[in-house]
Amino acid sequence: MLNLLAEPWGVIVSHARACYPRECCGILLGTAAEGDVRTVTTAVACVNAYQGEQSDRFELDPKDQFEAQRAARRQGLEVLGFFHSHPDCDAYFSATDLANSWPWYSNLVVSVRGGEVSHARAFRANDNQTASTEEELRCPQS
Ligand SMILES: [Zn+2]
């Protein structure tokens, strides 16, 4: 289960709005507890580094990922996953999302319609990235 606290959720919503109609992306930091409950305490908004049409693609800069890893370690947190937005599209896990994901990590997808956040869902890829399962999501707006 992915449990998003109000502060990181606010960061994600602002970033998704600011990047619209392009996809936004970022990194989720927090703690993973027994029973597979992941609590996101910090969301790091990143630049979409994809070198092309960004309305339906995103890419994280490896430097940002490295920085987030370091920041997490400093605060005694871990990188729990990633987030990105789907402008004028539902929050689903696309074939591209699956191909570009990593096992274990949570992937939060935020649907943005007309510049406002509509809904969000979370997914995890299986070990060989051939399928994903939806992860239960708890966030201030859903
Ligand atoms: Zn996507």
Side-chain angles (χ1 to χ4, degrees), residues 61-129:
D61 187 328
K63 267 190 301 197
D64 288 341
Q65 295 185 53
F66 181 73
E67 269 306 308
Q69 195 70 255
R70 280 183 45 178
R73 213 169 302 140
R74 265 199 313 269
Q75 301 167 71
L77 303 173
E78 58 186 308
V79 174
L80 297 175
F82 309 93
F83 70 90
H84 72 282
S85 62
H86 280 181
D88 294 320
C89 200
D90 280 339
Y92 69 103
F93 206 50
S94 72
T96 307
D97 291 335
L98 181 61
N100 293 336
S101 65
W102 290 280
W104 190 85
Y105 292 103
S106 298
N107 299 277
L108 180 75
V109 185
V110 180
S111 164
V112 186
R113 298 242 175 226
E116 290 301 323
V117 168
S118 155
H119 60 280
R121 289 166 72 192
F123 305 88
R124 282 193 219 175
N126 65 0
D127 285 344
N128 46 13
Q129 290 161 267

Side-chain angles (χ1 to χ4, degrees), residues 2-23:
L2 192 64
N3 181 28
L4 273 157
L5 301 187
E7 200 267 325
W9 174 246
V11 169
I12 293 165
V13 168
S14 315
H15 194 43
R17 278 180 178 158
C19 293
Y20 180 86
R22 290 169 293 116
E23 286 197 8

Side-chain angles (χ1 to χ4, degrees), residues 3 6 26 42 47 56 62 66 72-73 120 133:
N3 181 28
T42 304
V47 166
D56 62 353
F66 181 73
R73 213 169 302 140
T133 50

